[in-house]
PDB file of all heavy atoms in Angstrom:
ATOM      1  N   GLY A 766     117.723 162.368 150.375  1.00 92.00           N
ATOM      2  CA  GLY A 766     118.301 163.453 149.590  1.00 92.00           C
ATOM      3  C   GLY A 766     117.323 164.501 149.126  1.00 92.00           C
ATOM      4  O   GLY A 766     116.252 164.709 149.712  1.00 92.00           O
ATOM      5  N   ALA A 840     120.654 154.814 163.406  1.00 97.00           N
ATOM      6  CA  ALA A 840     120.714 155.742 164.532  1.00 97.00           C
ATOM      7  C   ALA A 840     121.558 156.959 164.168  1.00 97.00           C
ATOM      8  O   ALA A 840     122.376 156.922 163.252  1.00 97.00           O
ATOM      9  CB  ALA A 840     121.314 155.037 165.755  1.00 97.00           C
ATOM     10  N   LYS A 847     123.401 149.250 154.779  1.00 97.00           N
ATOM     11  CA  LYS A 847     122.334 148.255 154.777  1.00 97.00           C
ATOM     12  C   LYS A 847     121.246 148.574 155.803  1.00 97.00           C
ATOM     13  O   LYS A 847     120.480 147.689 156.206  1.00 97.00           O
ATOM     14  CB  LYS A 847     122.914 146.866 155.076  1.00 97.00           C
ATOM     15  CG  LYS A 847     123.868 146.350 154.008  1.00 97.00           C
ATOM     16  CD  LYS A 847     123.117 145.969 152.741  1.00 97.00           C
ATOM     17  CE  LYS A 847     124.037 145.295 151.734  1.00 97.00           C
ATOM     18  NZ  LYS A 847     123.319 144.897 150.502  1.00 97.00           N
ATOM     19  N   TYR A 849     118.556 149.883 155.386  1.00 98.00           N
ATOM     20  CA  TYR A 849     117.218 149.606 154.857  1.00 98.00           C
ATOM     21  C   TYR A 849     116.727 148.216 155.262  1.00 98.00           C
ATOM     22  O   TYR A 849     115.510 147.998 155.381  1.00 98.00           O
ATOM     23  CB  TYR A 849     117.194 149.779 153.338  1.00 98.00           C
ATOM     24  CG  TYR A 849     117.981 148.748 152.556  1.00 98.00           C
ATOM     25  CD1 TYR A 849     117.407 147.542 152.175  1.00 98.00           C
ATOM     26  CD2 TYR A 849     119.293 149.000 152.170  1.00 98.00           C
ATOM     27  CE1 TYR A 849     118.125 146.598 151.448  1.00 98.00           C
ATOM     28  CE2 TYR A 849     120.022 148.072 151.442  1.00 98.00           C
ATOM     29  CZ  TYR A 849     119.433 146.871 151.082  1.00 98.00           C
ATOM     30  OH  TYR A 849     120.151 145.951 150.364  1.00 98.00           O
ATOM     31  N   ASP A 860     102.297 147.320 153.726  1.00 98.00           N
ATOM     32  CA  ASP A 860     102.846 148.662 153.930  1.00 98.00           C
ATOM     33  C   ASP A 860     103.526 149.143 152.655  1.00 98.00           C
ATOM     34  O   ASP A 860     103.659 148.395 151.680  1.00 98.00           O
ATOM     35  CB  ASP A 860     103.820 148.658 155.105  1.00 98.00           C
ATOM     36  CG  ASP A 860     103.120 148.485 156.448  1.00 98.00           C
ATOM     37  OD1 ASP A 860     101.901 148.739 156.525  1.00 98.00           O
ATOM     38  OD2 ASP A 860     103.786 148.070 157.420  1.00 98.00           O
ATOM     39  N   ALA A 862     106.737 151.140 150.595  1.00 98.00           N
ATOM     40  CA  ALA A 862     108.119 151.621 150.543  1.00 98.00           C
ATOM     41  C   ALA A 862     108.254 152.565 149.356  1.00 98.00           C
ATOM     42  O   ALA A 862     107.830 152.240 148.240  1.00 98.00           O
ATOM     43  CB  ALA A 862     109.095 150.455 150.395  1.00 98.00           C
ATOM     44  N   ILE A 863     108.833 153.735 149.598  1.00 98.00           N
ATOM     45  CA  ILE A 863     109.080 154.721 148.541  1.00 98.00           C
ATOM     46  C   ILE A 863     110.588 154.940 148.474  1.00 98.00           C
ATOM     47  O   ILE A 863     111.197 155.428 149.428  1.00 98.00           O
ATOM     48  CB  ILE A 863     108.335 156.036 148.810  1.00 98.00           C
ATOM     49  CG1 ILE A 863     106.822 155.776 148.825  1.00 98.00           C
ATOM     50  CG2 ILE A 863     108.698 157.076 147.773  1.00 98.00           C
ATOM     51  CD1 ILE A 863     105.993 156.993 149.164  1.00 98.00           C
ATOM     52  N   LEU A 895     117.610 145.427 132.017  1.00 98.00           N
ATOM     53  CA  LEU A 895     116.402 144.700 131.638  1.00 98.00           C
ATOM     54  C   LEU A 895     116.212 143.466 132.505  1.00 98.00           C
ATOM     55  O   LEU A 895     115.091 143.162 132.932  1.00 98.00           O
ATOM     56  CB  LEU A 895     116.493 144.313 130.159  1.00 98.00           C
ATOM     57  CG  LEU A 895     115.369 143.465 129.590  1.00 98.00           C
ATOM     58  CD1 LEU A 895     114.015 144.142 129.748  1.00 98.00           C
ATOM     59  CD2 LEU A 895     115.656 143.141 128.115  1.00 98.00           C
ATOM     60  N   LYS A 918     105.367 163.201 135.643  1.00 95.00           N
ATOM     61  CA  LYS A 918     104.889 163.839 134.420  1.00 95.00           C
ATOM     62  C   LYS A 918     103.588 163.207 133.921  1.00 95.00           C
ATOM     63  O   LYS A 918     102.852 163.826 133.156  1.00 95.00           O
ATOM     64  CB  LYS A 918     105.966 163.766 133.326  1.00 95.00           C
ATOM     65  CG  LYS A 918     107.136 164.703 133.579  1.00 95.00           C
ATOM     66  CD  LYS A 918     108.066 164.753 132.392  1.00 95.00           C
ATOM     67  CE  LYS A 918     109.262 165.631 132.662  1.00 95.00           C
ATOM     68  NZ  LYS A 918     108.890 167.006 133.031  1.00 95.00           N
ATOM     69  N   PRO A 948     121.185 172.555 135.744  1.00 92.00           N
ATOM     70  CA  PRO A 948     122.410 173.370 135.786  1.00 92.00           C
ATOM     71  C   PRO A 948     123.622 172.611 136.328  1.00 92.00           C
ATOM     72  O   PRO A 948     123.502 171.574 136.977  1.00 92.00           O
ATOM     73  CB  PRO A 948     122.023 174.533 136.706  1.00 92.00           C
ATOM     74  CG  PRO A 948     120.882 174.035 137.513  1.00 92.00           C
ATOM     75  CD  PRO A 948     120.141 173.066 136.650  1.00 92.00           C
ATOM     76  N   LEU A 969     117.813 161.759 133.550  1.00 94.00           N
ATOM     77  CA  LEU A 969     116.881 162.693 132.927  1.00 94.00           C
ATOM     78  C   LEU A 969     116.183 162.153 131.678  1.00 94.00           C
ATOM     79  O   LEU A 969     114.992 162.391 131.486  1.00 94.00           O
ATOM     80  CB  LEU A 969     117.589 164.015 132.585  1.00 94.00           C
ATOM     81  CG  LEU A 969     118.002 164.892 133.766  1.00 94.00           C
ATOM     82  CD1 LEU A 969     118.562 166.225 133.275  1.00 94.00           C
ATOM     83  CD2 LEU A 969     116.816 165.161 134.713  1.00 94.00           C
ATOM     84  N   SER A 977     107.117 158.387 126.139  1.00 98.00           N
ATOM     85  CA  SER A 977     106.952 157.671 124.876  1.00 98.00           C
ATOM     86  C   SER A 977     106.338 156.294 125.098  1.00 98.00           C
ATOM     87  O   SER A 977     105.410 155.892 124.374  1.00 98.00           O
ATOM     88  CB  SER A 977     108.304 157.523 124.171  1.00 98.00           C
ATOM     89  OG  SER A 977     108.795 158.761 123.723  1.00 98.00           O
ATOM     90  N   ALA A1001     136.545 168.201 133.650  1.00 93.00           N
ATOM     91  CA  ALA A1001     137.325 169.279 134.252  1.00 93.00           C
ATOM     92  C   ALA A1001     137.161 169.328 135.765  1.00 93.00           C
ATOM     93  O   ALA A1001     138.017 169.867 136.479  1.00 93.00           O
ATOM     94  CB  ALA A1001     136.929 170.616 133.637  1.00 93.00           C
ATOM     95  N   GLU A1007     129.715 161.678 131.275  1.00 94.00           N
ATOM     96  CA  GLU A1007     129.322 162.505 130.143  1.00 94.00           C
ATOM     97  C   GLU A1007     128.607 163.766 130.627  1.00 94.00           C
ATOM     98  O   GLU A1007     127.919 163.755 131.639  1.00 94.00           O
ATOM     99  CB  GLU A1007     128.389 161.718 129.218  1.00 94.00           C
ATOM    100  CG  GLU A1007     128.997 160.472 128.605  1.00 94.00           C
ATOM    101  CD  GLU A1007     128.877 159.234 129.468  1.00 94.00           C
ATOM    102  OE1 GLU A1007     128.297 159.352 130.585  1.00 94.00           O
ATOM    103  OE2 GLU A1007     129.357 158.158 129.056  1.00 94.00           O
ATOM    104  N   TYR A1096     101.022 168.101 140.456  1.00 97.00           N
ATOM    105  CA  TYR A1096     101.263 166.740 139.984  1.00 97.00           C
ATOM    106  C   TYR A1096     102.430 166.070 140.694  1.00 97.00           C
ATOM    107  O   TYR A1096     102.526 164.840 140.709  1.00 97.00           O
ATOM    108  CB  TYR A1096     101.416 166.685 138.462  1.00 97.00           C
ATOM    109  CG  TYR A1096     102.529 167.495 137.830  1.00 97.00           C
ATOM    110  CD1 TYR A1096     103.828 167.018 137.775  1.00 97.00           C
ATOM    111  CD2 TYR A1096     102.257 168.710 137.204  1.00 97.00           C
ATOM    112  CE1 TYR A1096     104.831 167.741 137.137  1.00 97.00           C
ATOM    113  CE2 TYR A1096     103.240 169.433 136.571  1.00 97.00           C
ATOM    114  CZ  TYR A1096     104.530 168.946 136.537  1.00 97.00           C
ATOM    115  OH  TYR A1096     105.523 169.668 135.908  1.00 97.00           O
ATOM    116  N   VAL A1105      99.651 155.783 146.848  1.00 98.00           N
ATOM    117  CA  VAL A1105      99.241 155.411 148.205  1.00 98.00           C
ATOM    118  C   VAL A1105      97.783 154.965 148.208  1.00 98.00           C
ATOM    119  O   VAL A1105      97.426 153.955 148.825  1.00 98.00           O
ATOM    120  CB  VAL A1105      99.469 156.578 149.186  1.00 98.00           C
ATOM    121  CG1 VAL A1105      98.787 156.314 150.533  1.00 98.00           C
ATOM    122  CG2 VAL A1105     100.972 156.805 149.398  1.00 98.00           C
ATOM    123  N   THR A1128     103.329 151.007 136.337  1.00 98.00           N
ATOM    124  CA  THR A1128     103.624 149.761 137.043  1.00 98.00           C
ATOM    125  C   THR A1128     104.861 149.083 136.455  1.00 98.00           C
ATOM    126  O   THR A1128     105.245 149.316 135.308  1.00 98.00           O
ATOM    127  CB  THR A1128     102.437 148.791 136.974  1.00 98.00           C
ATOM    128  OG1 THR A1128     102.157 148.498 135.601  1.00 98.00           O
ATOM    129  CG2 THR A1128     101.206 149.385 137.633  1.00 98.00           C
ATOM    130  N   THR A1131     104.507 147.480 133.079  1.00 97.00           N
ATOM    131  CA  THR A1131     104.200 148.292 131.893  1.00 97.00           C
ATOM    132  C   THR A1131     105.299 149.302 131.575  1.00 97.00           C
ATOM    133  O   THR A1131     105.092 150.204 130.771  1.00 97.00           O
ATOM    134  CB  THR A1131     102.864 149.041 132.086  1.00 97.00           C
ATOM    135  OG1 THR A1131     102.958 149.905 133.232  1.00 97.00           O
ATOM    136  CG2 THR A1131     101.713 148.066 132.274  1.00 97.00           C
ATOM    137  N   GLN A1134     109.946 148.555 128.494  1.00 98.00           N
ATOM    138  CA  GLN A1134     110.588 149.124 127.313  1.00 98.00           C
ATOM    139  C   GLN A1134     111.526 150.274 127.681  1.00 98.00           C
ATOM    140  O   GLN A1134     112.614 150.410 127.110  1.00 98.00           O
ATOM    141  CB  GLN A1134     109.535 149.599 126.320  1.00 98.00           C
ATOM    142  CG  GLN A1134     108.714 148.487 125.701  1.00 98.00           C
ATOM    143  CD  GLN A1134     107.619 149.008 124.795  1.00 98.00           C
ATOM    144  OE1 GLN A1134     107.444 150.220 124.638  1.00 98.00           O
ATOM    145  NE2 GLN A1134     106.863 148.093 124.197  1.00 98.00           N
ATOM    146  N   GLU A1159     108.640 135.581 120.605  1.00 83.00           N
ATOM    147  CA  GLU A1159     107.779 135.273 119.459  1.00 83.00           C
ATOM    148  C   GLU A1159     106.311 135.561 119.737  1.00 83.00           C
ATOM    149  O   GLU A1159     105.572 135.969 118.841  1.00 83.00           O
ATOM    150  CB  GLU A1159     107.944 133.797 119.079  1.00 83.00           C
ATOM    151  CG  GLU A1159     109.315 133.453 118.507  1.00 83.00           C
ATOM    152  CD  GLU A1159     109.396 131.999 118.077  1.00 83.00           C
ATOM    153  OE1 GLU A1159     108.370 131.301 118.187  1.00 83.00           O
ATOM    154  OE2 GLU A1159     110.482 131.580 117.647  1.00 83.00           O
TER     155      GLU A1159
END
Side-chain angles (χ1 to χ4, degrees):
K847 295 288 187 179
Y849 68 87
D860 289 340
I863 298 177
L895 176 58
K918 287 188 183 303
L969 290 186
S977 292
E1007 298 87 0
Y1096 59 82
V1105 168
T1128 60
T1131 60
Q1134 293 176 359
E1159 292 183 3

